[in-house]
Amino acid sequence: MVRFPISISKKIIYKSIAISAILIIASVLIGIEVEWISRGSLPETLSWMNTHKAIFALNVLIEGSALAFLYSCIGSLFLSVAAGAIIFSVIAFINYYKSKLVGEPFFPWDIIQRKEGMDVGPLFTGSSDLLRAVLILAIIGILLMLHIRLGKRLSVSWISRLAIGFSAVVVLMSFGLQVSWAKEQVVSAGVDESIWSQQVNYDSNGLMLAFTLNVQHSIITEPENYNAAEIAGITRQFDHTEEAVPVFGQLADQEPVRKQPNVIFIMSEAFWDPSRLTNLSFSSDPVPTVHRLQQERSTGYMLSPQFGGGTSNVEFEVLTGFSMSLLPAGSVPYLQYIDRPVPSLASYFNSRGYKSMAIHSYEGWFWKRNEVYKQLGFADFKSKDNFVDPEYKGPYISDAEVARSIMKEVDETEEPVFIYAVTMQNHSPYTDEARYGEGGNSIRVEGDLTDEAASMLETYTQGAHDADRSLQMLIDHYADSDEPTYIVFYGDHLPTLGLEYDLYRQAGFVGSSNPDDWSLEEYERLRSTPFVTWSNFSVKEEKAEVISSSFVGSYVLNALSMKPEGQFAFNTELYKTAPGLIRNLTVDKDHNLAHTMSSSQESKLEQYKLLQYDLLFGEQYSWSERPEEITE
């Protein structure tokens, strides 16, 4: 037997104790720091820690495991703690501001957004933020000094580092994937994972535990009853209908329209009707075109799955007919799921001899549109780089320029055109009152608002007014055209007007800064954007007081007497009983509001889930015209 000198054994033991003690102390301090930043209040953090001791301990375990992993990679204990403090601080600040701006916390899949990720730099100006930043920098400075003085004394062999790193990865993956032993710890700690409200989930369980638990929700598992026969049973419900007679509507002289009409969708960035803020008054109508169409046509408001951001998710629902409510909260399908051909409105119109084209007046990489649009079946994509000497309004290409681009593409194409256009002019922030130049805000706001809020609303309202005028440009252009044309216009989500819904609260639109305290009516208000249509021929539109963005495609196809297929045919039936369907809110045909669908609708919802799984993740049994894989 080999015997080591007692001094060497003690040295190893003392070093191990010192390293463990430093990691534990650092993990606890970082755990407090993370919650302090994320919650914005040290007293609130201490109160939460006192009432959720076991849950706080699990957060510390996750943060400690991450520090141990960094230590195994970097080799210096103090540098690893410094790096961990920086990483966790950034995550906490992003979570804090994302929650305040759009009412959603920081999710694991937000990391893959890269350039699309949230830039919190411009918001990082408050005195409390600066105080916390100075404190963090001071701690990092101390850690660097300790590294210089003591770093070598606490170094370990590469074998030990490998063992530490492996153990840390096992712990992190166990909680992320919820293996049995980790799940037991979560249950015994009293964790209540409120998936229905992720903000409650993060507030109750702490940032890092809630963040880690959400990893499992990014993994889509196959439903137990998913198979070809089950999907065939669903599709048989709508496959029995015959192809509609190719008459798309009537001209003013009652002549039938047999020529396929151009179909133009315009998703206007953050477009909303600010005059819905009834406690305020405006010097003139902000959106007269939309108001006129809401009176003349059958349309009204679209229920959006988003607030303040996440444009691509609204786009996803409209183009595919799928529902974000059936995916993990916070998902971004364009970034996570669409990596193969998926049936959409673009592929539908392609199959009927149309040219499907997407237009967006911003960078093509944004939300991976340059890749996703190909998988959805678009033949062409015109992004910012393809605009020649465009007009700008503020920092972005103007809505009027997008309208002119639509007219040019339609008029220069011989075959009928399906265009999906996304504007950018009225993108946030709206805090620059000189955004449109001196005297650029033509509409004044009066009411009980702070000067800052009033200025922000006037800047936003000017952008909404310009979007409304660009819609009128298109109407004027096609009013006298012999080309049958159908236009769909809507906003993707309401704008972010201050932290914690500040302007909406000042105007009495909602009564609380916490969405979990809102009534169903308030929640509906913060998710309802104007939805209008126009055509230079009459169509058979039904009343659409409220319609979810996932049902817009079916609504349009039925209005044009074009036979819906696949998920669009299924949605035609679901829309009749539940025209509004987003996470945490359903609206039935009588406009009754509820958090979930009624028991009588549950079977339809289960079929919807299966159909969506089949086309998005499964074997695509329900897609008869599936193209070959797109590879580049």
Side-chain angles (χ1 to χ4, degrees):
M1 177 182 294
V2 178
R3 296 183 181 275
F4 293 99
I6 188 68
S7 58
I8 297 178
S9 299
K10 285 184 177 180
K11 185 177 181 181
I12 294 174
I13 292 172
Y14 291 154
K15 182 185 292 187
S16 299
I17 292 174
I19 291 173
S20 300
I22 291 172
L23 281 175
I24 292 171
I25 294 171
S27 301
V28 172
L29 293 176
I30 285 177
I32 297 172
E33 171 215 354
V34 164
E35 293 303 320
W36 178 20
I37 294 173
S38 183
R39 296 170 189 273
S41 167
L42 183 57
E44 181 183 337
T45 297
L46 296 176
S47 175
W48 172 79
M49 289 169 53
N50 184 53
T51 55
H52 297 77
K53 294 182 181 66
I55 293 177
F56 176 66
L58 290 181
N59 279 269
V60 170
L61 175 60
I62 291 170
E63 288 147 352
S65 299
L67 291 181
F69 176 74
L70 288 174
Y71 179 43
S72 71
C73 295
I74 297 174
S76 167
L77 181 60
F78 296 111
L79 287 183
S80 301
V81 173
I86 294 172
I87 292 170
F88 283 119
S89 297
V90 169
I91 291 174
F93 274 116
I94 291 175
N95 180 70
Y96 174 78
Y97 280 111
K98 187 184 177 195
S99 297
K100 298 301 181 187
L101 285 170
V102 299
E104 287 187 345
F106 183 60
F107 296 110
W109 37 90
D110 287 335
I111 296 172
I112 65 174
Q113 293 187 38
R114 299 188 303 277
K115 293 179 182 178
E116 301 94 313
M118 183 180 173
D119 180 11
V120 302
L123 303 171
F124 192 84
T125 56
S127 57
S128 60
D129 292 339
L130 295 175
L131 173 62
R132 283 175 287 187
V134 169
L135 181 60
I136 292 166
L137 291 175
I139 293 172
I140 290 172
I142 294 171
L143 290 169
L144 292 177
M145 291 177 59
L146 289 172
H147 166 70
I148 295 172
R149 294 181 63 87
L150 304 174
K152 292 183 178 180
R153 298 183 185 181
L154 296 176
S155 62
V156 296
S157 67
W158 68 269
I159 296 178
S160 297
R161 285 168 52 190
L162 187 64
I164 291 171
F166 177 77
S167 300
V169 169
V170 168
V171 171
L172 293 173
M173 289 187 65
S174 295
F175 278 93
L177 301 178
Q178 280 293 276
V179 300
S180 58
W181 76 265
K183 192 169 185 177
E184 289 176 4
Q185 301 304 314
V186 169
V187 172
S188 64
V191 172
D192 180 15
E193 193 180 359
S194 303
I195 301 174
W196 63 272
S197 175
Q198 286 287 353
Q199 198 58 60
V200 170
N201 184 23
Y202 278 60
D203 289 344
S204 300
N205 302 319
L207 170 56
M208 293 316 303
L209 179 59
F211 180 91
T212 304
L213 292 177
N214 264 317
V215 170
Q216 63 180 317
H217 302 308
S218 64
I219 302 171
I220 307 297
T221 57
E222 181 179 303
E224 291 183 5
N225 56 339
Y226 175 67
N227 54 65
E230 192 74 26
I231 296 299
I234 296 173
T235 57
R236 274 196 297 269
Q237 298 176 54
F238 47 77
D239 276 350
H240 60 81
T241 56
E242 297 180 359
E243 182 68 57
V245 177
V247 175
F248 305 98
Q250 292 181 324
L251 298 172
D253 58 4
Q254 302 302 308
E255 281 294 314
V257 175
R258 297 186 182 278
K259 182 179 181 181
Q260 294 188 120
N262 300 308
V263 181
I264 302 170
F265 278 60
I266 303 153
M267 187 168 73
S268 184
E269 171 59 37
F271 184 81
W272 179 62
D273 179 2
S275 67
R276 296 194 78 190
L277 299 169
T278 54
N279 290 357
L280 308 176
S281 62
F282 296 81
S283 58
S284 61
D285 189 344
V287 289
T289 305
V290 165
H291 284 159
R292 187 185 75 249
L293 292 177
Q294 286 177 328
Q295 294 297 318
E296 296 175 353
R297 311 288 291 207
S298 301
T299 49
Y301 287 92
M302 185 189 79
L303 206 56
S304 171
Q306 300 294 136
F307 171 85
T311 297
S312 72
N313 287 353
V314 187
E315 202 172 300
F316 165 79
E317 286 206 347
V318 173
L319 286 171
T320 65
F322 301 145
S323 176
M324 291 298 303
S325 68
L326 306 181
L327 296 172
S331 299
V332 184
Y334 273 24
L335 303 181
Q336 295 172 264
Y337 307 136
I338 301 182
D339 54 6
R340 64 173 185 173
V342 173
S344 74
L345 287 175
S347 59
Y348 174 91
F349 281 105
N350 285 344
S351 68
R352 279 155 174 73
Y354 278 72
K355 175 185 177 181
S356 292
M357 180 179 188
I359 297 176
H360 183 34
S361 52
Y362 198 58
E363 306 289 353
W365 52 258
F366 202 64
W367 298 119
K368 284 178 61 178
R369 285 187 176 95
N370 50 5
E371 300 175 28
V372 170
Y373 281 157
K374 294 176 184 176
Q375 304 290 5
L376 294 180
F378 284 100
D380 288 310
F381 173 32
K382 181 177 183 179
S383 63
K384 176 183 176 181
D385 292 340
N386 304 118
F387 283 78
V388 179
D389 193 24
E391 173 193 42
Y392 276 73
K393 291 292 290 287
Y396 303 110
I397 293 175
S398 72
D399 285 2
E401 186 69 28
V402 174
R404 287 190 286 268
S405 178
I406 292 171
M407 292 186 286
K408 179 177 182 295
E409 296 298 334
V410 172
D411 295 348
E412 293 181 357
T413 305
E414 292 185 5
E415 62 262 50
V417 179
F418 166 63
I419 287 185
Y420 194 89
V422 183
T423 69
M424 193 68 179
Q425 178 186 324
N426 211 20
H427 196 281
S428 62
Y430 313 105
T431 50
D432 182 8
E433 58 185 277
R435 177 170 180 158
Y436 296 119
E438 186 176 349
N441 295 341
S442 60
I443 300 176
R444 299 301 168 193
V445 178
E446 291 186 6
D448 190 15
L449 295 177
T450 63
D451 291 342
E452 180 183 3
S455 173
M456 179 168 51
L457 182 57
E458 287 178 353
T459 298
Y460 168 78
T461 299
Q462 183 61 48
H465 185 63
D466 288 349
D468 186 86
R469 288 195 297 184
S470 72
L471 173 60
Q472 188 61 52
M473 282 178 57
L474 287 167
I475 292 173
D476 292 341
H477 179 78
Y478 290 108
D480 299 323
S481 172
D482 58 359
E483 285 283 318
T485 302
Y486 184 87
I487 297 174
V488 186
F489 180 93
Y490 55 93
D492 53 351
H493 53 71
L494 271 72
T496 298
L497 298 172
L499 294 178
E500 298 182 302
Y501 310 95
D502 180 53
L503 190 144
Y504 296 105
R505 287 187 290 116
Q506 289 188 44
F509 204 60
V510 294
S512 171
S513 61
N514 186 356
D516 296 314
D517 296 332
W518 294 346
S519 66
L520 289 171
E521 289 75 16
E522 287 176 315
Y523 193 82
E524 183 188 26
R525 286 178 212 154
L526 267 293
R527 289 293 190 276
S528 297
T529 69
F531 169 69
V532 295
T533 64
W534 177 89
S535 59
N536 54 9
F537 60 99
S538 64
V539 295
K540 299 184 297 183
E541 287 184 333
E542 297 181 0
K543 181 65 176 176
E545 181 182 350
V546 173
I547 181 171
S548 282
S549 51
S550 53
F551 299 147
V552 166
S554 299
Y555 177 89
V556 169
L557 296 180
N558 282 287
L560 294 174
S561 298
M562 302 177 78
K563 178 190 175 185
E565 294 180 350
Q567 69 271 35
F568 298 109
F570 183 87
N571 288 354
T572 296
E573 298 304 313
L574 186 57
Y575 167 72
K576 293 176 182 178
T577 59
L581 175 61
I582 59 175
R583 194 180 311 278
N584 299 333
L585 178 66
T586 61
V587 184
D588 69 14
K589 59 184 178 60
D590 298 317
H591 207 98
N592 295 311
L593 308 182
H595 281 299
T596 58
M597 294 186 77
S598 65
S599 56
S600 62
Q601 297 169 324
E602 278 299 320
S603 60
K604 277 289 183 185
L605 186 62
E606 288 303 313
Q607 291 179 336
Y608 194 11
K609 289 179 182 178
L610 278 177
L611 191 60
Q612 179 165 310
Y613 178 86
D614 175 56
L615 293 171
L616 201 54
F617 308 106
E619 300 299 323
Q620 298 185 322
Y621 297 123
S622 55
W623 192 8
S624 59
E625 299 179 4
R626 187 185 187 281
E628 296 296 322
E629 295 284 347
I630 298 173
T631 57
E632 287 194 5

